[in-house]
Amino acid sequence: MILAVLEQSDGSLKKISAELAAAARKAQALLGADGVALLLVGADPAAVDAAMALDCDLCLTVQGEAFATYAAEAWAPAVVQAAKEVSAPLVLLGSTSFGRDLAPRVAGIMQAGLLADLGDLAVEDGRLIAERSVYSGKVIAKVASLSDVTVATVRPNAFSPAGAGAATCQRRELEVAVDPASVHCRVREVRRQAATRPELTEASVVVAGGRGLKDPENFHLVEELADLLGAAVGTTRATVDAGWRPHSEQIGQTGKNIAPALYINVGISGAVQHISGVLGSRTIVSINRDAEAPIFKISDYGLVGDALEILPHLIDEVRRLG
Amino acid sequence: MQVVVLVKQVADTAARIKLADGKQDIDRQSASLIVNPYDEMAVEEALRIKEKHGATVCVVTLGEAKAEEALRTALAMGADEAARVTAPASDPLTVAKALAQAVRELAADIVIAGRSAADDEQGQVGALVATELGWPHVTEVTKLELSGDAGVAEREVEGGVEVLDFSLPVVVTAQEGLNTPRYASLPGIMKAKRKEIRQIAVDGATLGQPVLETRSLELPPARAQGKILSGLEPAAAAKELVRILHEEAKLI
């Protein structure tokens, strides 16, 4: 079976979990595997119920004191044991802060190839391959996994979330023994930021502003438009470096990669390092006063004009749509 | 305390990238080579540990002789020692195995690497080195505090910040926000030129088989020219854009 390692937080499944289930179904067909198994480690019962409702064949759970909080040294062996339990040719994790931390440890233990940060999967001469964006999006590398088992991290928003299954999903509890002495690093606490907007990497619409807004005060326009669209707010490295916005909003090479259905940016000229982080967006809309700005080269729709003059009108027009 | 920093020389992606004949690699002759930006943060963090707690900072790279330039840059920033690993390693796993051998040989207490390299953007080697050594790891660290043989690290996660306790030895990888790397001083640059670079040769037979293979590199297809509106009054421009997004693209 294809194994997908789900993510939960406070009893609910994260959005990436349903996307991983969908990616696993696709991989099952590609590899001729005999099903999809979802794995939840240290999860609340409500999250397990939500996972059972997804389109899958088996839901594996791992519980115990060792899994009360995230510890890579405990979780990686649990994932490896689950992979062996279902003879998984492929283990999928999210390309999220969690998946990026855990996946290489799983791959290292299994001596498996790790295809990182995938947008899609394919098979060529019997090998799993991925086309990866490298060199800040300037090059596409075709990478093949040579090992019998492959580990992969899947970019958020790359797969449409799996729908409800046929309610034939089985549940199995795995006993995973962890020697406490083997765990030298563990999450002590997670400081949640009060979230009023969707998370940047998960949002289906992102509105971002750059230096063209001229003053950090003017970001309220970006926030207003974002809230009307139910969007996440993003920004560039330049405004973060200038202290206008927090790093958590930074899009691009040293920030977050985004792949929303709609990416609207205002006052962003499009430095290479920013562009590399937005190429996964389905539709890019850019507003910039400089008709020669590089951002227009990757834009589906562009508007040449002053962001500060256009934004209030844009907000009015969007509001009018109701 | 012995701090080992893993650095990689990479092509500056802000400059033009050309593919080499055969499309198996980029054209390194024409590329402008720099120290991977995240690795500079790793070097900076090691220097701060040295200043605060006292430590020897050794920078390590794996690569051809040309990669010693990256080591010299780190030495000029203030690193004490440098070593270049030579090994027939071609993928993240074999690279990590070779680096892990060097880390063992250098008797490191803490290993700091960048979160990923700006060229292949794999983001695996740090955690793979830790796995190979049987050490804990924390990736994408934005804050690091050591006390005795333990420490606390913070990493940004979706919607918050994760705080982790760890004991040494450990591998951590540096994320933007951890620090701002210092510039090399002129005396530092002069001194770095004279420093000896230790050579560590790793036997290929100890690395096993690679598990990833890059089959080809391609330049991405150009995106189709978009629809650009210009010369409109702000109100008319906004109205037209919203009309297009709502009626034609059906996105809002």
Side-chain angles (χ1 to χ4, degrees):
Chain A
M1 287 188 185
I2 309 296
L3 181 69
V5 183
L6 305 192
E7 294 183 37
Q8 63 119 29
S9 145
D10 303 327
S12 50
L13 284 184
K14 289 198 174 181
K15 190 170 169 236
I16 187 74
S17 293
E19 296 171 16
L20 287 169
R25 270 288 182 234
K26 175 167 182 187
Q28 181 200 344
L30 275 175
L31 294 170
D34 58 356
V36 166
L38 308 179
L39 171 66
L40 273 165
V41 180
D44 295 339
V48 176
D49 288 344
M52 297 278 294
L54 289 172
D55 175 31
C56 67
D57 303 296
L58 179 65
C59 184
L60 294 170
T61 55
V62 176
Q63 301 290 353
E65 212 175 307
F67 305 104
T69 62
Y70 174 66
E73 290 161 290
W75 292 50
V79 173
V80 171
Q81 192 176 323
K84 288 187 177 149
E85 172 89 8
V86 299
S87 308
L90 174 65
V91 179
L92 296 173
L93 297 95
S95 183
T96 56
S97 57
F98 165 79
R100 288 192 303 267
D101 194 77
L102 181 56
R105 199 151 193 117
V106 172
I109 294 172
M110 302 190 88
Q111 300 285 292
L114 166 54
L115 297 171
D117 202 30
L118 301 188
D120 202 0
L121 271 170
V123 171
E124 214 177 80
D125 338 318
R127 300 281 186 202
L128 264 170
I129 60 157
E131 292 197 346
R132 306 187 59 245
S133 165
V134 296
Y135 292 93
S136 300
K138 289 185 167 179
V139 178
I140 309 282
K142 190 189 272 186
V143 181
S145 171
L146 307 177
S147 48
D148 294 336
V149 178
T150 298
V151 179
T153 54
V154 176
R155 228 189 284 150
N157 281 346
F159 288 84
S160 304
T168 52
C169 174
Q170 305 285 312
R171 181 177 169 178
R172 198 184 304 162
E173 173 84 25
L174 272 186
E175 288 297 328
V176 178
V178 176
D179 176 5
S182 70
V183 179
H184 309 89
C185 176
R186 179 178 289 282
V187 169
R188 175 209 296 175
E189 62 164 321
V190 181
R191 291 200 301 266
R192 298 248 166 248
Q193 278 140 9
T196 51
R197 299 192 180 91
E199 209 283 318
L200 196 50
T201 57
E202 293 178 353
S204 55
V205 182
V206 173
V207 182
R211 283 292 278 257
L213 290 173
K214 296 192 182 86
D215 189 299
E217 295 285 312
N218 293 328
F219 262 81
H220 74 89
L221 293 167
V222 169
E223 292 175 336
E224 219 174 315
L225 181 61
D227 290 341
L228 282 170
L229 296 169
V233 169
T235 193
T236 62
R237 180 171 184 171
T239 69
V240 174
D241 284 352
W244 292 10
R245 304 298 293 180
H247 178 253
S248 58
E249 290 182 0
Q250 187 182 319
I251 299 168
Q253 197 184 57
T254 51
K256 297 189 169 88
N257 289 338
I258 60 166
L262 175 61
Y263 174 50
I264 301 178
N265 63 83
V266 289
I268 292 177
S269 60
V272 169
Q273 80 101 22
H274 181 77
I275 284 179
S276 74
V278 305
L279 285 173
S281 310
R282 217 162 305 150
T283 302
I284 299 178
V285 177
S286 305
I287 301 173
N288 200 289
R289 62 186 308 165
D290 176 9
E292 302 300 316
I295 193 82
F296 285 128
K297 291 206 173 62
I298 60 152
S299 300
D300 301 281
Y301 302 99
L303 219 171
V304 182
D306 188 311
L308 292 176
E309 287 177 13
I310 291 168
L311 267 175
H313 293 288
L314 204 55
I315 289 164
D316 283 347
E317 292 293 335
V318 172
R319 194 172 277 136
R320 212 161 288 165
L321 291 176
Chain B
M1 186 155 45
Q2 178 82 359
V3 184
V4 164
V5 184
L6 306 178
V7 301
K8 184 179 184 185
Q9 189 180 45
V10 298
D12 184 357
T13 57
R16 191 177 150 83
I17 302 285
K18 284 200 299 190
L19 297 186
D21 294 340
K23 294 188 169 181
Q24 293 294 309
D25 198 358
I26 63 157
D27 177 15
R28 295 195 180 269
Q29 296 301 320
S30 68
S32 142
L33 299 173
I34 57 169
V35 179
N36 178 42
Y38 293 115
D39 299 350
E40 285 190 331
M41 294 170 202
V43 173
E44 175 63 34
E45 199 60 22
L47 296 176
R48 291 185 188 192
I49 290 170
K50 175 185 167 179
E51 284 155 7
K52 199 166 166 189
H53 302 279
T56 306
V57 175
C58 181
V59 286
V60 174
T61 196
L62 185 152
E64 293 167 10
K66 177 113 180 122
E68 290 187 1
E69 293 167 2
L71 297 177
R72 301 262 176 223
T73 304
L75 287 170
M77 286 172 73
D80 303 296
E81 300 165 0
R84 179 167 70 92
V85 180
T86 45
S90 63
D91 73 338
L93 185 63
T94 47
V95 165
K97 285 180 179 175
L99 288 172
Q101 286 187 34
V103 169
R104 254 189 234 116
E105 194 166 324
L106 295 165
D109 299 295
I110 176 165
V111 172
I112 313 181
R115 61 158 284 195
S116 60
D119 50 6
D120 61 9
E121 303 184 28
Q122 292 279 13
Q124 317 187 11
V125 169
L128 283 173
V129 167
T131 311
E132 192 62 30
L133 293 167
W135 294 6
H137 77 262
V138 191
T139 57
E140 302 176 15
V141 166
T142 53
K143 196 175 173 192
L144 187 65
E145 293 284 349
L146 296 181
S147 60
D149 57 359
V152 180
E154 292 186 9
R155 59 194 302 266
E156 238 175 54
V157 299
E158 294 79 9
V161 174
E162 224 168 49
V163 186
L164 298 105
D165 294 310
F166 62 82
S167 61
L168 298 181
V170 71
V171 178
V172 299
T173 71
Q175 164 72 307
E176 176 94 9
L178 178 62
N179 57 47
T180 307
R182 69 193 64 186
Y183 290 104
S185 66
L186 195 57
I189 294 168
M190 299 311 289
K191 237 167 90 185
K193 282 185 181 162
R194 294 192 301 271
K195 284 225 168 116
E196 196 186 325
I197 291 176
R198 182 169 167 183
Q199 306 290 324
I200 300 177
V202 172
D203 179 2
T206 62
L207 301 179
Q209 293 300 312
V211 288
L212 287 184
E213 171 188 71
T214 298
R215 294 211 161 157
S216 64
L217 300 181
E218 295 286 345
L219 298 177
R223 279 180 89 111
Q225 179 59 51
K227 192 171 187 170
I228 308 292
L229 307 171
S230 62
L232 294 173
E233 287 300 310
K239 190 167 185 161
E240 176 61 7
L241 182 60
V242 171
R243 187 196 67 76
I244 290 170
L245 292 180
H246 183 60
E247 291 176 15
E248 287 181 22
K250 300 197 189 320
L251 284 164
I252 59 175

